[in-house]
């Protein structure tokens, strides 16, 4: 009970601070960048004008439907209350982070669980958008609900949350596929290993050493695939309906994007994987510091692998670095300043972080493939990689918001690379300082655009 008391004390403080910062942001600016479209559309839905749609919006209308359904009965369709939807969702996210992490690592100390929950709940890019009317925060809420229900084996509820997640942002379909696919892989391995009369293991313990006998069994008895699919169909029907429905939408719409399809054209952009590694390192300092020696030992001991990977990364950067026009045109994002003042300042600058990319990707490999206490399942590892590639490496624009869900899913569900409470406390402090700097810059720095009368603010 003490750990719950401490967490709810944190949740109370979190709610008060969030509410105070919400008022600070609201009083500083009533409209931030793409809120121009979201707020207008949210007001239409809140007032029952469902026939009106802004073609500049490229996502499904889940945000507007949910906020409108709650606010419309109270006639509260103002900017203030529309934005408040994200703040309330942020508090829900903090609670979901805690209960998911507690379900995944129930034997960790109360202090560790609390600190990790605080760290993930205050993830700076996500926390900042908790004060604006964007799709991101409520999108994360629905995905976290789906993850929680899947961890608890409540898959009908998980499928419902998955449907709502897709309704928030259609790219969330990859996380529905992640949940369904990881469960399907684990179910397949369970059936095949039982068929071979292997020693029985809990479903959560299937590792890569079990992969070869699983494949061998399927080759010997391909009819088992039908048995697995039949069992999966009865247990995971909701996920299958979500995925089938989305395939139907793609066929009908011709693109994953609704509205202005020219603004977001998919393309293979492998350099995004490197940018994601920097994102992971920036907000997982406890993991970086806790595994630094292991990463260095791996890189030096397997120097030939390190040399090959560094060479490969250099080729990828040279051949597959895409600079989206929006990146260079919009000085209201941190990515603009990072790119202009570092990556584009010198011809060789984009190659300089390669050792850092390699080190962080080695760390991610340790998280995914090292057999620790419990370890990660094959399904989790394979499907997280696929889902991350699908959600990150097909985007042309460098946007930190694309990295939030891959980051959270990995940090929430990983079991075998963990840190100390001291390093987690340091990570929490780093998040607090970054958040403080973010809000300070937002409130004190302004940029002026000729086609806007109000000063523009700098955000993630």
């Amino acid at each position: 009970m003490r750990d719950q008391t401490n967490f709810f004390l944190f949740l109370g403080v979190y709610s008060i601070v969030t509410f105070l910062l919400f008022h600070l942001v609201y009083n500083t600016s009533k409209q931030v960048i793409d809120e121009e479209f979201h707020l207008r559309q949210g007001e239409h839905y809140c007032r029952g004008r469902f026939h009106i749609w802004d073609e500049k919006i490229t996502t499904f209308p889940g945000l507007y439907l949910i906020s409108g359904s709650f606010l419309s009965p109270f006639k509260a369709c103002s900017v203030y209350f529309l934005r408040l939807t994200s703040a309330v969702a942020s508090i829900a996210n903090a609670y979901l982070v805690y209960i998911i992490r507690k379900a995944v690592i129930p034997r960790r100390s109360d202090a560790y669980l609390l600190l990790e929950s605080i760290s993930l709940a205050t993830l700076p890019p996500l926390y900042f958008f908790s004060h604006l009317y964007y799709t991101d925060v409520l999108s994360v809420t629905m995905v976290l609900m789906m993850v929680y229900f899947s961890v608890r084996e409540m898959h009908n509820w998980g499928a419902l949350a998955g449907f709502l997640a897709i309704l928030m942002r259609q790219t969330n379909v990859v996380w529905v596929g992640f949940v369904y696919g990881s469960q399907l892989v684990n179910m397949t391995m369970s059936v095949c290993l039982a068929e071979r009369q292997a020693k029985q293991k809990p479903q959560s313990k299937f590792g890569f050493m079990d992969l070869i006998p699983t494949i061998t069994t399927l080759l010997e008895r391909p009819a088992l695939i039908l048995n697995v699919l039949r069992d999966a169909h009865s247990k995971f029907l909701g996920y299958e309906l979500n995925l089938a429905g989305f395939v139907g939408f793609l066929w009908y719409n011709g693109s994953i994007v609704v509205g202005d399809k020219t603004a977001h054209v998919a393309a293979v952009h492998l350099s995004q994987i490197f940018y994601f590694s920097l994102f992971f390192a920036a907000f997982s300092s406890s993991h970086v510091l806790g595994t630094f020696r292991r990463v260095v030992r791996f890189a030096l001991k397997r120097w030939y692998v390190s040399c090959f990977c560094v060479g490969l990364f250099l080729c990828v950067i040279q051949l597959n670095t895409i600079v989206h026009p929006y990146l260079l045109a919009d000085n209201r994002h941190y990515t603009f300043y990072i790119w202009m003042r570092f990556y584009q300042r010198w011809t060789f600058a984009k190659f300089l972080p390669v050792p850092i990319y390699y080190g962080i990707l080695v760390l991610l490999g340790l998280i995914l493939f090292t057999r620790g206490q419990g370890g990660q399942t094959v399904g989790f590892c394979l499907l997280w990689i696929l889902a991350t590639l699908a959600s990150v490496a097909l985007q042309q624009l460098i946007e930190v918001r694309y990295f939030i869900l891959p980051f959270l899913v990995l940090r929430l569900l990983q079991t075998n690379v963990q840190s100390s409470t001291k390093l987690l406390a340091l990570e929490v402090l780093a998040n607090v300082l970054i958040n403080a700097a973010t809000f300070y810059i937002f409130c004190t720095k302004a940029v002026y655009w000729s086609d806007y009368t109000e000063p523009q603010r700098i955000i993630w």
Side-chain angles (χ1 to χ4, degrees):
M1 289 296 295
R2 188 180 66 178
D3 59 329
Q4 292 186 352
T5 301
N6 290 336
F7 173 76
F8 282 111
L9 178 62
F10 155 71
L11 195 61
V13 174
Y14 178 92
S15 302
I16 293 171
V17 172
T18 297
F19 189 71
L20 293 175
L21 289 173
F22 178 84
H23 274 268
L24 178 65
V25 170
Y26 179 77
N27 291 326
T28 300
S29 178
K30 304 296 191 295
Q31 180 179 289
V32 178
I33 310 182
D34 287 347
E35 275 193 316
E36 174 184 356
F37 312 110
H38 296 305
L39 287 169
R40 188 164 57 228
Q41 192 64 50
E43 183 180 357
H44 285 317
Y45 274 49
C46 186
R47 299 188 187 281
R49 300 193 288 261
F50 300 108
H51 61 285
I52 300 177
W53 181 258
D54 190 332
E55 289 298 321
K56 290 292 184 181
I57 296 174
T58 59
T59 56
F60 284 161
L63 172 65
Y64 322 118
L65 288 169
I66 290 183
S67 60
S69 64
F70 280 102
L71 298 177
S72 182
F74 302 100
K75 308 297 181 183
C77 300
S78 64
V79 171
Y80 181 92
F81 287 105
L82 288 171
R83 278 184 172 180
L84 196 61
T85 306
S86 295
V88 173
S90 172
I91 298 170
N93 289 345
Y95 179 68
L96 286 166
V97 162
Y98 174 74
I99 60 176
I100 292 172
R101 203 63 184 129
K102 188 174 182 180
V104 172
I105 52 167
R107 295 181 179 84
R108 296 295 297 194
S109 68
D110 297 347
Y112 184 95
L113 182 61
L114 178 62
L115 285 170
E116 192 164 36
S117 299
I118 294 173
S119 174
L120 297 178
T122 58
L123 177 66
L126 179 62
Y127 186 69
F128 180 82
F129 283 100
S130 301
H131 304 81
L132 303 176
Y133 191 62
Y134 275 70
T135 58
D136 302 88
V137 181
L138 202 56
S139 168
V140 168
T141 304
M142 300 308 167
V143 173
L144 292 185
M145 286 175 58
M146 177 180 64
V147 169
Y148 174 73
F149 286 130
S150 71
V151 168
R152 290 297 188 185
E153 298 291 331
M154 302 165 65
H155 295 295
N156 289 334
W157 286 105
L160 176 59
F163 171 76
L164 294 175
I166 296 173
L167 200 61
M168 295 298 116
R169 292 180 73 98
Q170 51 266 50
T171 52
N172 286 338
V173 71
V174 302
W175 299 108
V176 177
F178 161 79
V179 169
Y180 173 70
S182 57
Q183 294 283 350
L184 186 62
V185 170
N186 291 336
M187 176 181 285
T188 302
M189 297 184 74
S190 176
V191 170
C192 290
L193 293 178
E195 182 69 18
R196 294 179 68 88
Q197 297 182 345
K199 60 181 182 178
Q200 297 299 309
K201 299 181 179 181
Q203 184 174 347
S204 62
K205 294 291 184 71
F206 291 129
F208 279 86
M209 295 302 295
D210 301 313
L211 197 55
I212 294 177
T214 299
I215 295 174
T216 303
T217 303
L218 289 176
L219 292 175
E220 293 173 351
R221 295 197 56 189
L224 286 176
I225 297 176
L226 296 177
N227 295 337
V228 171
L229 292 177
R230 184 182 63 249
D231 294 341
H233 181 69
S234 62
K235 190 175 183 180
F236 309 126
L237 176 60
Y239 300 130
E240 294 175 352
L241 290 175
N242 283 331
L243 296 173
F246 193 80
V247 171
F249 158 76
L250 288 179
W251 175 81
Y252 173 80
N253 190 57
S255 169
I256 194 173
V257 175
V258 298
D260 185 8
K261 295 179 174 61
T262 61
H264 297 278
V265 178
V268 176
H269 189 188
L270 297 179
S271 291
Q272 291 274 32
I273 300 169
F274 304 140
Y275 309 141
F276 171 73
S277 72
L278 292 181
F279 182 94
F280 187 88
F283 304 117
S284 292
S285 55
S286 64
H287 284 54
V288 173
L289 296 174
T291 59
F292 182 78
R293 292 183 179 179
R294 291 178 64 187
V295 170
V296 171
R297 283 198 302 267
F298 178 93
L300 294 178
K301 186 176 181 180
R302 296 169 176 81
W303 59 268
Y304 46 90
V305 175
S306 302
C307 291
F308 173 79
C309 289
V310 167
L312 180 63
F313 293 178
L314 292 172
C315 292
V316 168
I317 292 170
Q318 177 63 30
L319 300 174
N320 195 225
T321 294
I322 299 175
V323 184
H324 196 284
Y326 287 1
L327 176 64
L328 303 179
D330 199 335
N331 62 349
R332 299 170 297 179
H333 292 284
Y334 292 141
T335 48
F336 170 87
Y337 298 96
I338 294 171
W339 192 266
M340 297 299 292
R341 295 182 181 180
F342 178 74
Y343 283 95
Q344 194 159 301
R345 187 170 184 177
W346 309 285
T347 304
F348 57 85
K350 62 184 179 181
F351 301 109
L352 292 179
V354 165
I356 300 175
Y357 299 154
Y358 177 66
I360 302 306
L361 290 175
V362 169
L363 168 58
L364 292 175
L366 292 175
I367 292 174
L368 291 172
F369 303 116
T370 299
R371 292 292 292 171
Q373 183 180 4
Q376 305 296 158
T377 66
V378 175
F380 172 86
C381 296
L382 295 179
L383 270 298
W384 181 85
I385 292 172
L386 290 176
T388 300
L389 288 174
S391 60
V392 168
L394 297 180
Q395 304 280 359
Q396 295 189 54
L397 180 63
I398 303 173
E399 171 64 79
V400 294
R401 292 181 294 154
Y402 300 155
F403 303 145
I404 290 174
L405 277 171
F407 176 90
L408 284 177
V409 171
L410 183 60
R411 284 289 302 267
L412 283 170
L413 298 182
Q414 58 138 330
T415 59
N416 56 351
V417 175
Q418 297 174 33
S419 185
S420 67
T421 53
K422 291 182 179 179
L423 290 178
L424 273 174
L426 183 63
E427 183 175 288
V428 170
L429 177 61
N431 281 1
V432 170
L433 293 176
I434 293 171
N435 279 322
T438 302
F439 285 104
Y440 175 79
I441 292 172
F442 178 83
C443 294
T444 60
K445 308 296 181 181
V447 294
Y448 294 88
W449 284 34
S450 59
D451 50 345
Y452 286 93
T453 57
E454 295 294 324
Q456 301 298 294
R457 299 292 167 172
I458 300 173
I459 68 173
W460 286 102

